[in-house]
PDB file of all heavy atoms in Angstrom:
ATOM      1  N   PRO A1108     171.214 122.767  96.029  1.00 95.00           N
ATOM      2  CA  PRO A1108     169.749 122.683  95.921  1.00 95.00           C
ATOM      3  C   PRO A1108     169.322 122.527  94.458  1.00 95.00           C
ATOM      4  O   PRO A1108     170.102 122.806  93.542  1.00 95.00           O
ATOM      5  CB  PRO A1108     169.262 124.003  96.508  1.00 95.00           C
ATOM      6  CG  PRO A1108     170.409 124.930  96.409  1.00 95.00           C
ATOM      7  CD  PRO A1108     171.660 124.089  96.450  1.00 95.00           C
ATOM      8  N   PRO A1109     168.087 122.112  94.243  1.00 96.00           N
ATOM      9  CA  PRO A1109     167.605 121.888  92.871  1.00 96.00           C
ATOM     10  C   PRO A1109     167.606 123.148  92.011  1.00 96.00           C
ATOM     11  O   PRO A1109     167.397 124.259  92.500  1.00 96.00           O
ATOM     12  CB  PRO A1109     166.163 121.407  93.076  1.00 96.00           C
ATOM     13  CG  PRO A1109     166.099 120.932  94.471  1.00 96.00           C
ATOM     14  CD  PRO A1109     167.073 121.765  95.235  1.00 96.00           C
ATOM     15  N   ILE A1110     167.837 122.900  90.742  1.00 95.00           N
ATOM     16  CA  ILE A1110     167.752 123.928  89.699  1.00 95.00           C
ATOM     17  C   ILE A1110     166.728 123.412  88.692  1.00 95.00           C
ATOM     18  O   ILE A1110     166.867 122.294  88.190  1.00 95.00           O
ATOM     19  CB  ILE A1110     169.110 124.131  89.001  1.00 95.00           C
ATOM     20  CG1 ILE A1110     170.161 124.600  89.993  1.00 95.00           C
ATOM     21  CG2 ILE A1110     168.976 125.096  87.833  1.00 95.00           C
ATOM     22  CD1 ILE A1110     171.581 124.526  89.454  1.00 95.00           C
ATOM     23  N   LEU A1111     165.699 124.215  88.391  1.00 96.00           N
ATOM     24  CA  LEU A1111     164.715 123.808  87.381  1.00 96.00           C
ATOM     25  C   LEU A1111     165.304 124.035  85.992  1.00 96.00           C
ATOM     26  O   LEU A1111     165.935 125.057  85.733  1.00 96.00           O
ATOM     27  CB  LEU A1111     163.412 124.585  87.538  1.00 96.00           C
ATOM     28  CG  LEU A1111     162.612 124.257  88.798  1.00 96.00           C
ATOM     29  CD1 LEU A1111     161.335 125.089  88.855  1.00 96.00           C
ATOM     30  CD2 LEU A1111     162.280 122.780  88.873  1.00 96.00           C
ATOM     31  N   LEU A1112     165.099 123.082  85.117  1.00 95.00           N
ATOM     32  CA  LEU A1112     165.667 123.132  83.777  1.00 95.00           C
ATOM     33  C   LEU A1112     164.705 123.773  82.789  1.00 95.00           C
ATOM     34  O   LEU A1112     163.482 123.730  82.983  1.00 95.00           O
ATOM     35  CB  LEU A1112     166.053 121.723  83.332  1.00 95.00           C
ATOM     36  CG  LEU A1112     167.038 121.013  84.271  1.00 95.00           C
ATOM     37  CD1 LEU A1112     167.329 119.599  83.787  1.00 95.00           C
ATOM     38  CD2 LEU A1112     168.325 121.808  84.399  1.00 95.00           C
ATOM     39  N   PRO A1113     165.247 124.358  81.704  1.00 94.00           N
ATOM     40  CA  PRO A1113     164.410 125.084  80.743  1.00 94.00           C
ATOM     41  C   PRO A1113     163.347 124.245  80.032  1.00 94.00           C
ATOM     42  O   PRO A1113     162.388 124.795  79.514  1.00 94.00           O
ATOM     43  CB  PRO A1113     165.404 125.632  79.711  1.00 94.00           C
ATOM     44  CG  PRO A1113     166.749 125.466  80.303  1.00 94.00           C
ATOM     45  CD  PRO A1113     166.660 124.440  81.385  1.00 94.00           C
ATOM     46  N   ASP A1114     163.502 122.910  80.003  1.00 92.00           N
ATOM     47  CA  ASP A1114     162.492 122.101  79.327  1.00 92.00           C
ATOM     48  C   ASP A1114     161.256 121.868  80.191  1.00 92.00           C
ATOM     49  O   ASP A1114     160.349 121.126  79.805  1.00 92.00           O
ATOM     50  CB  ASP A1114     163.078 120.770  78.835  1.00 92.00           C
ATOM     51  CG  ASP A1114     163.644 119.917  79.960  1.00 92.00           C
ATOM     52  OD1 ASP A1114     163.907 120.457  81.052  1.00 92.00           O
ATOM     53  OD2 ASP A1114     163.829 118.702  79.740  1.00 92.00           O
ATOM     54  N   SER A1115     161.176 122.516  81.342  1.00 95.00           N
ATOM     55  CA  SER A1115     159.998 122.429  82.210  1.00 95.00           C
ATOM     56  C   SER A1115     158.903 123.316  81.635  1.00 95.00           C
ATOM     57  O   SER A1115     159.064 124.538  81.576  1.00 95.00           O
ATOM     58  CB  SER A1115     160.350 122.871  83.637  1.00 95.00           C
ATOM     59  OG  SER A1115     161.316 122.022  84.200  1.00 95.00           O
ATOM     60  N   ARG A1116     157.816 122.695  81.181  1.00 93.00           N
ATOM     61  CA  ARG A1116     156.708 123.434  80.556  1.00 93.00           C
ATOM     62  C   ARG A1116     155.515 122.529  80.357  1.00 93.00           C
ATOM     63  O   ARG A1116     155.622 121.323  80.513  1.00 93.00           O
ATOM     64  CB  ARG A1116     157.135 124.014  79.221  1.00 93.00           C
ATOM     65  CG  ARG A1116     157.251 122.933  78.147  1.00 93.00           C
ATOM     66  CD  ARG A1116     157.676 123.474  76.830  1.00 93.00           C
ATOM     67  NE  ARG A1116     159.109 123.355  76.863  1.00 93.00           N
ATOM     68  CZ  ARG A1116     159.963 123.874  76.007  1.00 93.00           C
ATOM     69  NH1 ARG A1116     159.580 124.544  75.031  1.00 93.00           N
ATOM     70  NH2 ARG A1116     161.230 123.711  76.099  1.00 93.00           N
ATOM     71  N   CYS A1117     154.397 123.122  79.991  1.00 92.00           N
ATOM     72  CA  CYS A1117     153.192 122.367  79.643  1.00 92.00           C
ATOM     73  C   CYS A1117     152.927 122.530  78.153  1.00 92.00           C
ATOM     74  O   CYS A1117     153.088 123.622  77.607  1.00 92.00           O
ATOM     75  CB  CYS A1117     151.979 122.871  80.429  1.00 92.00           C
ATOM     76  SG  CYS A1117     152.071 122.534  82.196  1.00 92.00           S
ATOM     77  N   THR A1118     152.510 121.449  77.516  1.00 89.00           N
ATOM     78  CA  THR A1118     152.192 121.474  76.093  1.00 89.00           C
ATOM     79  C   THR A1118     150.785 120.927  75.903  1.00 89.00           C
ATOM     80  O   THR A1118     150.541 119.752  76.189  1.00 89.00           O
ATOM     81  CB  THR A1118     153.200 120.610  75.292  1.00 89.00           C
ATOM     82  OG1 THR A1118     154.519 121.038  75.593  1.00 89.00           O
ATOM     83  CG2 THR A1118     152.955 120.731  73.805  1.00 89.00           C
ATOM     84  N   PRO A1119     149.847 121.790  75.464  1.00 86.00           N
ATOM     85  CA  PRO A1119     148.481 121.315  75.215  1.00 86.00           C
ATOM     86  C   PRO A1119     148.465 120.371  74.019  1.00 86.00           C
ATOM     87  O   PRO A1119     149.275 120.489  73.113  1.00 86.00           O
ATOM     88  CB  PRO A1119     147.702 122.584  74.889  1.00 86.00           C
ATOM     89  CG  PRO A1119     148.587 123.722  75.215  1.00 86.00           C
ATOM     90  CD  PRO A1119     149.987 123.211  75.227  1.00 86.00           C
ATOM     91  N   GLY A1120     147.544 119.433  74.058  1.00 80.00           N
ATOM     92  CA  GLY A1120     147.407 118.519  72.933  1.00 80.00           C
ATOM     93  C   GLY A1120     146.229 117.598  73.142  1.00 80.00           C
ATOM     94  O   GLY A1120     146.011 117.117  74.252  1.00 80.00           O
ATOM     95  N   GLY A1121     145.472 117.356  72.080  1.00 78.00           N
ATOM     96  CA  GLY A1121     144.317 116.458  72.178  1.00 78.00           C
ATOM     97  C   GLY A1121     143.348 116.953  73.228  1.00 78.00           C
ATOM     98  O   GLY A1121     142.957 118.109  73.241  1.00 78.00           O
ATOM     99  N   GLU A1122     142.989 116.095  74.137  1.00 81.00           N
ATOM    100  CA  GLU A1122     142.068 116.437  75.217  1.00 81.00           C
ATOM    101  C   GLU A1122     142.841 116.645  76.511  1.00 81.00           C
ATOM    102  O   GLU A1122     142.818 115.801  77.396  1.00 81.00           O
ATOM    103  CB  GLU A1122     141.037 115.318  75.394  1.00 81.00           C
ATOM    104  CG  GLU A1122     140.003 115.249  74.298  1.00 81.00           C
ATOM    105  CD  GLU A1122     139.079 116.466  74.305  1.00 81.00           C
ATOM    106  OE1 GLU A1122     138.619 116.867  75.389  1.00 81.00           O
ATOM    107  OE2 GLU A1122     138.848 117.018  73.220  1.00 81.00           O
ATOM    108  N   GLY A1123     143.581 117.738  76.606  1.00 85.00           N
ATOM    109  CA  GLY A1123     144.318 118.013  77.833  1.00 85.00           C
ATOM    110  C   GLY A1123     145.683 118.613  77.556  1.00 85.00           C
ATOM    111  O   GLY A1123     145.862 119.372  76.615  1.00 85.00           O
ATOM    112  N   ALA A1124     146.642 118.225  78.388  1.00 88.00           N
ATOM    113  CA  ALA A1124     147.994 118.761  78.251  1.00 88.00           C
ATOM    114  C   ALA A1124     148.988 117.804  78.903  1.00 88.00           C
ATOM    115  O   ALA A1124     148.621 116.958  79.730  1.00 88.00           O
ATOM    116  CB  ALA A1124     148.100 120.131  78.905  1.00 88.00           C
ATOM    117  N   ARG A1125     150.237 117.967  78.521  1.00 91.00           N
ATOM    118  CA  ARG A1125     151.340 117.200  79.106  1.00 91.00           C
ATOM    119  C   ARG A1125     152.286 118.214  79.726  1.00 91.00           C
ATOM    120  O   ARG A1125     152.801 119.093  79.046  1.00 91.00           O
ATOM    121  CB  ARG A1125     152.036 116.408  78.005  1.00 91.00           C
ATOM    122  CG  ARG A1125     153.214 115.579  78.465  1.00 91.00           C
ATOM    123  CD  ARG A1125     153.790 114.812  77.253  1.00 91.00           C
ATOM    124  NE  ARG A1125     154.856 113.938  77.641  1.00 91.00           N
ATOM    125  CZ  ARG A1125     156.144 114.248  77.593  1.00 91.00           C
ATOM    126  NH1 ARG A1125     156.513 115.437  77.153  1.00 91.00           N
ATOM    127  NH2 ARG A1125     157.065 113.383  77.972  1.00 91.00           N
ATOM    128  N   CYS A1126     152.506 118.103  81.036  1.00 93.00           N
ATOM    129  CA  CYS A1126     153.384 119.035  81.746  1.00 93.00           C
ATOM    130  C   CYS A1126     154.649 118.303  82.186  1.00 93.00           C
ATOM    131  O   CYS A1126     154.583 117.191  82.717  1.00 93.00           O
ATOM    132  CB  CYS A1126     152.673 119.629  82.955  1.00 93.00           C
ATOM    133  SG  CYS A1126     151.246 120.643  82.507  1.00 93.00           S
ATOM    134  N   VAL A1127     155.785 118.938  81.948  1.00 94.00           N
ATOM    135  CA  VAL A1127     157.088 118.365  82.283  1.00 94.00           C
ATOM    136  C   VAL A1127     157.766 119.270  83.298  1.00 94.00           C
ATOM    137  O   VAL A1127     157.791 120.493  83.137  1.00 94.00           O
ATOM    138  CB  VAL A1127     157.974 118.255  81.019  1.00 94.00           C
ATOM    139  CG1 VAL A1127     159.380 117.799  81.367  1.00 94.00           C
ATOM    140  CG2 VAL A1127     157.347 117.313  80.007  1.00 94.00           C
ATOM    141  N   CYS A1128     158.299 118.662  84.344  1.00 95.00           N
ATOM    142  CA  CYS A1128     159.046 119.383  85.371  1.00 95.00           C
ATOM    143  C   CYS A1128     160.383 118.666  85.534  1.00 95.00           C
ATOM    144  O   CYS A1128     160.422 117.523  85.989  1.00 95.00           O
ATOM    145  CB  CYS A1128     158.268 119.386  86.689  1.00 95.00           C
ATOM    146  SG  CYS A1128     159.079 120.266  88.034  1.00 95.00           S
ATOM    147  N   SER A1129     161.481 119.315  85.122  1.00 95.00           N
ATOM    148  CA  SER A1129     162.815 118.718  85.209  1.00 95.00           C
ATOM    149  C   SER A1129     163.685 119.536  86.143  1.00 95.00           C
ATOM    150  O   SER A1129     163.731 120.767  86.049  1.00 95.00           O
ATOM    151  CB  SER A1129     163.492 118.681  83.840  1.00 95.00           C
ATOM    152  OG  SER A1129     162.866 117.753  82.999  1.00 95.00           O
ATOM    153  N   ALA A1130     164.395 118.827  87.037  1.00 95.00           N
ATOM    154  CA  ALA A1130     165.268 119.504  87.993  1.00 95.00           C
ATOM    155  C   ALA A1130     166.554 118.704  88.159  1.00 95.00           C
ATOM    156  O   ALA A1130     166.546 117.472  88.123  1.00 95.00           O
ATOM    157  CB  ALA A1130     164.566 119.646  89.338  1.00 95.00           C
ATOM    158  N   SER A1131     167.653 119.431  88.363  1.00 94.00           N
ATOM    159  CA  SER A1131     168.951 118.816  88.632  1.00 94.00           C
ATOM    160  C   SER A1131     169.423 119.244  90.005  1.00 94.00           C
ATOM    161  O   SER A1131     169.190 120.386  90.425  1.00 94.00           O
ATOM    162  CB  SER A1131     169.982 119.254  87.594  1.00 94.00           C
ATOM    163  OG  SER A1131     169.673 118.725  86.335  1.00 94.00           O
ATOM    164  N   ALA A1132     170.113 118.323  90.710  1.00 94.00           N
ATOM    165  CA  ALA A1132     170.630 118.631  92.045  1.00 94.00           C
ATOM    166  C   ALA A1132     171.512 117.493  92.531  1.00 94.00           C
ATOM    167  O   ALA A1132     171.565 116.422  91.931  1.00 94.00           O
ATOM    168  CB  ALA A1132     169.480 118.829  93.028  1.00 94.00           C
TER     169      ALA A1132
END
């Protein structure tokens, strides 16, 4: 089954944010 990776996070910037969701399986 999938494993979420540590680089999964949200980073605010400018007008909003960039969210990253990384998974391996």
